[in-house]
DNA sequence: CCTACCGATCGGTAGG
DNA sequence: CCTACCGATCGGTAGG
């Protein structure tokens, strides 16, 4: 039930509609503003204005402000999930693939324009109970990817535990980066990824 | 500049004012609501009502809603700082003292009624630029405690790095717990603290 | 600390 | 997708 049906607007004439982009435009603008100012502090008028619409028009594309939030979050979740799945499919040692996953995860919250995932992470409260279910369903597919990786690392003797708590510690350390990372300052995303892997894995190569 | 001067209200008569509690009451109620619903979604009326006041009355104690937020955050910061300093002053091995610090930190974000620190962590955006300076000053004194501990752990050969990035990873893992921990479910705060220490320190005791 | 109130803004809708 | 608009709410204030 993601994309609601789009009907011909005017009904008349042969105007080719470059439609569909408008909805995406709104999601992008909403994501950006939600991230910057927070959901509650962002106005429908802000969003409309950001894409050159008038205040009432976003409601042609979305039933409510909450639906816009849901769309932003689903977009973000789908984005990390895909990036993470790609990284997990890399070839190489478990460490290499962990590093690829960490880098992919960090990229989706730190790269310029990467607004969806941070919104997903920090605007839960604003989402009405019934909409959370849809998000949670997708979120589980995302967590499975991590769990697979952790299991592998443990089997390789590189990790002590591979349960939920471990995953939550790992994701906490990674998600928190969004709070302190400033682009162009000191560290690159790659450097932080490398450090994170080092932090997660006890002693990559101890002489024993 | 914390507690603004309290002047006699009526000016007349010998009414002994049990004042001062009211301000604290407001801070507590605001903290709770800010945590639960977020700063923007919380109304001055909500806060007033929570302590049995009418809508205009909180402004007798605070100049603005933002001042209330600042008060909540300062309260939270002072609270963790103190708890952490106490824990750091414990006696015992570095591991023991780390565990005490982790437990103290988690307690101030997870225990019932512990609303201030989560607000501090997640409502930054709502605080106007000029008020942040005051918070940051106190925050640095808090970070120093962690840095001292990390330095010690590194010297004891229990940690690979003791720089800012490491501290931020540690705090990220800990602060994220507030997102997933539900009281009375599966793990106790102490258990999570123990697991966190295990996660932070690579192999507490490997036979080598 | 209450009463009464204001100006501004906000999400959303009707009707085209 | 625009115009015009509504009801509700919100932070804050005056005046006691």
């Amino acid at each position: 039930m993601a994309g609601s049906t789009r009907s011909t607007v005017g009904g008349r004439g042969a105007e080719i509609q470059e439609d569909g982009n408008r909805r995406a435009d709104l999601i992008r603008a909403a994501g950006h503003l939600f991230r910057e100012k927070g959901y509650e502090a962002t106005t429908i008028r802000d969003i409309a204005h950001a894409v050159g619409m008038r205040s009432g028009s976003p409601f042609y594309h979305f039933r409510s402000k909450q639906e816009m939030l849901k769309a932003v979050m689903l977009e973000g979740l789908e984005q990390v999930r895909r990036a993470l799945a790609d990284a997990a499919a890399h070839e190489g040692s478990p460490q290499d693939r962990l590093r690829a996953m960490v880098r992919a995860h960090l990229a989706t919250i730190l790269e310029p324009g990467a607004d969806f995932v941070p919104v997903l992470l920090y605007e839960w409260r604003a989402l009405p109970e019934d909409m959370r279910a849809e998000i949670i369903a997708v979120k589980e597919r995302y967590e499975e990817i991590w769990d697979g990786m952790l299991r592998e690392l443990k089997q390789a003797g590189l990790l002590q535990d591979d349960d939920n708590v471990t995953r939550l510690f790992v994701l906490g350390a990674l998600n928190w980066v969004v709070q302190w990372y400033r682009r162009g300052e000191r560290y690159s995303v790659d450097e932080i990824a490398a450090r994170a892997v080092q932090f997660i894995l006890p002693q990559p190569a101890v002489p024993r």
Side-chain angles (χ1 to χ4, degrees), chain A residues 32-52:
Chain A
H32 187 66
L33 287 161
F34 289 166
R35 179 194 187 155
E36 207 95 302
K37 319 179 17 169
Y39 173 80
E40 298 287 352
T42 298
T43 283
I44 290 286
R45 285 164 174 80
D46 292 337
I47 300 168
H49 183 257
V51 300

Side-chain angles (χ1 to χ4, degrees), chain A residues 19-181:
Chain A
D19 243 28
N21 313 46
R22 296 309 276 159
R23 192 173 192 273
D25 288 346
L26 282 167
I27 294 179
R28 203 175 314 121
H32 187 66
L33 287 161
F34 289 166
R35 179 194 187 155
E36 207 95 302
K37 319 179 17 169
Y39 173 80
E40 298 287 352
T42 298
T43 283
I44 290 286
R45 285 164 174 80
D46 292 337
I47 300 168
H49 183 257
V51 300
M53 288 180 182
R54 298 311 185 80
S55 76
S57 304
F59 293 103
Y60 171 75
H61 297 276
F62 295 90
R63 242 195 305 270
S64 67
K65 192 183 171 189
Q66 293 175 331
E67 291 280 356
M68 298 192 69
L69 178 60
K70 192 183 84 177
V72 168
M73 288 184 165
L74 281 176
E75 186 68 33
L77 200 40
E78 199 43 55
Q79 204 172 286
V80 242
R81 201 195 53 72
R82 216 175 315 136
L84 212 63
D86 285 355
H90 270 194
E91 43 185 54
S93 68
Q95 289 102 312
D96 289 342
R97 292 169 53 237
L98 173 64
R99 180 169 356 253
M101 283 176 65
V102 168
R103 200 185 294 131
H105 186 91
L106 289 179
T108 52
I109 58 178
L110 300 182
E111 290 307 348
D115 298 309
F116 303 133
V117 180
V119 171
L120 173 72
L121 295 178
Y122 294 105
E123 297 293 347
W124 271 99
R125 255 180 330 208
L127 203 69
E129 192 64 49
D130 58 299
M131 291 187 188
R132 291 186 199 180
E134 292 183 62
I135 309 279
I136 289 174
V138 188
K139 205 179 76 158
E140 274 159 12
R141 306 221 313 268
Y142 155 84
E143 287 167 350
E144 282 167 15
I145 305 177
W146 277 109
D147 289 339
M149 183 76 251
L150 296 184
R151 208 175 309 125
E152 227 177 296
L153 287 167
K154 188 185 177 183
Q155 279 164 5
L158 294 165
L159 206 59
Q160 305 184 61
D161 298 290
D162 64 348
D163 59 350
N164 281 347
V165 175
T166 301
R167 169 168 40 75
L168 289 162
F169 285 152
V170 170
L171 291 182
L174 296 184
N175 290 337
W176 193 250
V177 178
V178 84
Q179 302 272 7
W180 55 269
Y181 177 75

